[in-house]
Amino acid sequence: MHRRPGLSARLKLTLSYAGFLAVAGALLLAVVWMYLLRYVPDNSQGLLGTSPNRYLLVRTFAPAAAVAMAFLLVFGLVGGWILAGRMLAPLTRISAAARMAGNGSLSHRVRMEGRQDEFRELADTFDTMLEQLESHVAEQQRFAANASHELRTPLAISQTLLDVARKDPARDRGELIERLYSVNTRAIGLTEALLLLSRSDRGNFTRESVDLSLVAEEAAETLLPLAEQRGITLDATGGAAPVGGSPELLLRMVMNLVQNAIVHNLPAGGTVTVHTEAHGDTSVLRVENTGHRLPPELVPTLTEPFQRGTERVRTDEHAGVGLGLAIVHSIVRAHDGTLDLVPRPAGGLLVTVRLPGTP
């Protein structure tokens, strides 16, 4: 942004210091004149019949006052310039860090030393912003790299299948078409998941009144055949939990949680419980499932895009790409809520979603 050149903050502070000091000196001289000199008689005998008189005092005092005023002005300018430089030194460091960040160096930190004051608070806030920005940029770079890798895989498989078909025209085309259809379906699902994740990250959706209990019942009814196929008992309990948000995104959130709980469960005889309730101004959704024990260090990574622990990778038709809980986390964050994942001591996972409720 182009701006016209102007006085620097240091020069403005210097002139302000010098101006205030000069005004203080002038006021002091005025006080001396008003409360001292005006009471000296202006006659040849002076005060109590002796000299000096007011005329002589003024002649003597005026040059000294002028010299004092000049000294105060010079002292104010020099001292103000030094003090302003010392006061603005932290701001100079912050400006240099901001300039480096603007050039792409997000790893630089101000790290202002000294006791807490306004400049140190500003520096600490700026360091926190740079840290979050660097983390966000690194996350986006990892996401872009992982998304490219995940999208490249089905495209590479399709290319290989087509090369095989071209080199071997006698190969069974039914099998080729079936495999291409499966690979294409997986690529479409991944693309839709990426678009949904991007949409929830932006938060550009219309908020409506939604009851989480009804959403949970719909998700449970939709995924009940999958649960029965795997021998999983699926229950939806609880009461009304009204929230304000996107019905589509909230349904996708619950669907991902319930499907994740079904797929990552015991081979047979497992359970999945979906519970909704309202606590004051907060609506709560809990999804709890049985399963194998999860290492505590694995749980925090489950909400990161494309992060899949070896214990949770599937090789069947429900093999994921690691976006299920990442989408849930993004939707919860877009609705100003919180997401907590706690491994159950007996195995499995307890997922708790807390969203701001509506009357």
Side-chain angles (χ1 to χ4, degrees):
M1 181 177 181
H2 179 71
R3 298 181 186 273
R4 291 183 299 175
L7 298 179
S8 66
R10 186 176 185 180
L11 182 56
K12 290 180 181 178
L13 288 176
T14 300
L15 294 177
S16 300
Y17 294 152
F20 278 116
L21 194 58
V23 170
L27 290 176
L28 181 61
L29 294 178
V31 169
V32 172
W33 171 260
M34 292 177 60
Y35 290 96
L36 180 62
L37 293 181
R38 74 173 183 170
Y39 290 109
V40 177
D42 190 14
N43 53 50
S44 59
Q45 297 300 321
L47 184 62
L48 301 177
T50 62
S51 297
N53 55 23
R54 185 190 304 177
Y55 173 77
L56 293 177
L57 289 176
V58 170
R59 288 287 303 271
T60 305
F61 179 72
V67 172
M69 288 296 299
F71 174 78
L72 287 178
L73 183 59
V74 174
F75 181 79
L77 290 173
V78 176
W81 181 262
I82 297 174
L83 289 177
R86 292 177 60 87
M87 290 293 296
L88 294 177
L91 192 60
T92 303
R93 291 179 57 179
I94 297 174
S95 299
R99 194 175 299 109
M100 293 180 65
N103 293 331
S105 177
L106 299 178
S107 60
H108 180 72
R109 299 291 183 271
V110 180
R111 292 188 177 90
M112 191 73 65
E113 63 278 351
R115 296 184 178 182
Q116 182 69 20
D117 59 15
E118 289 80 359
F119 284 114
R120 271 71 180 179
E121 183 178 359
L122 176 61
D124 293 342
T125 303
F126 188 79
D127 284 345
T128 302
M129 181 196 69
L130 282 180
E131 183 177 354
Q132 294 178 350
L133 185 60
E134 183 182 20
S135 175
H136 180 71
V137 170
E139 180 182 351
Q140 293 298 319
Q141 290 175 346
R142 289 195 304 269
F143 178 83
N146 290 329
S148 301
H149 174 75
E150 294 289 344
L151 286 171
R152 184 178 60 183
T153 300
L155 294 176
I157 295 175
S158 299
Q159 181 67 38
T160 302
L161 293 175
L162 292 174
D163 289 341
V164 170
R166 185 175 59 180
K167 295 178 181 179
D168 186 8
R171 189 179 181 89
D172 185 7
R173 294 186 177 274
E175 179 186 358
L176 175 64
I177 292 176
E178 187 65 26
R179 294 187 63 182
L180 283 174
Y181 178 81
S182 176
V183 172
N184 187 64
T185 301
R186 180 176 174 83
I188 292 176
L190 174 60
T191 304
E192 291 178 349
L194 291 173
L195 291 175
L196 181 61
L197 184 61
S198 174
R199 178 189 172 192
S200 58
D201 279 338
R202 291 195 306 268
N204 55 348
F205 52 83
T206 303
R207 294 181 180 268
E208 304 176 16
S209 180
V210 182
D211 189 349
L212 281 181
S213 63
L214 299 180
V215 176
E217 291 178 1
E218 181 179 354
E221 182 179 353
T222 302
L223 295 172
L224 183 59
L226 176 62
E228 292 177 344
Q229 176 186 350
R230 294 174 173 268
I232 306 296
T233 302
L234 176 58
D235 292 323
T237 63
V243 299
S246 166
E248 178 188 355
L249 292 179
L250 291 174
L251 177 59
R252 171 57 59 184
M253 176 191 74
V254 181
M255 288 281 290
N256 282 8
L257 288 176
V258 176
Q259 181 175 349
N260 189 77
I262 294 174
V263 172
H264 302 290
N265 211 308
L266 296 175
T271 61
V272 174
T273 303
V274 185
H275 182 78
T276 58
E277 58 185 1
H279 287 297
D281 296 334
T282 304
S283 293
V284 181
L285 168 72
R286 292 189 180 91
V287 179
E288 185 176 7
N289 71 311
T290 55
H292 302 289
R293 291 186 179 181
L294 296 176
E297 63 274 9
L298 174 66
V299 175
T301 67
L302 297 180
T303 57
E304 298 179 11
F306 304 104
Q307 298 299 315
R308 293 164 291 181
T310 56
E311 293 86 351
R312 299 176 63 81
V313 176
R314 306 289 299 189
T315 57
D316 54 15
E317 69 276 10
H318 292 283
V321 294
L323 286 176
L325 288 179
I327 291 175
V328 170
H329 185 226
S330 178
I331 294 175
V332 171
R333 185 171 50 192
H335 286 79
D336 303 320
T338 59
L339 175 66
D340 296 321
L341 282 70
V342 178
R344 299 173 69 247
L349 193 66
L350 172 60
V351 181
T352 304
V353 176
R354 294 179 176 88
L355 299 175
T358 58

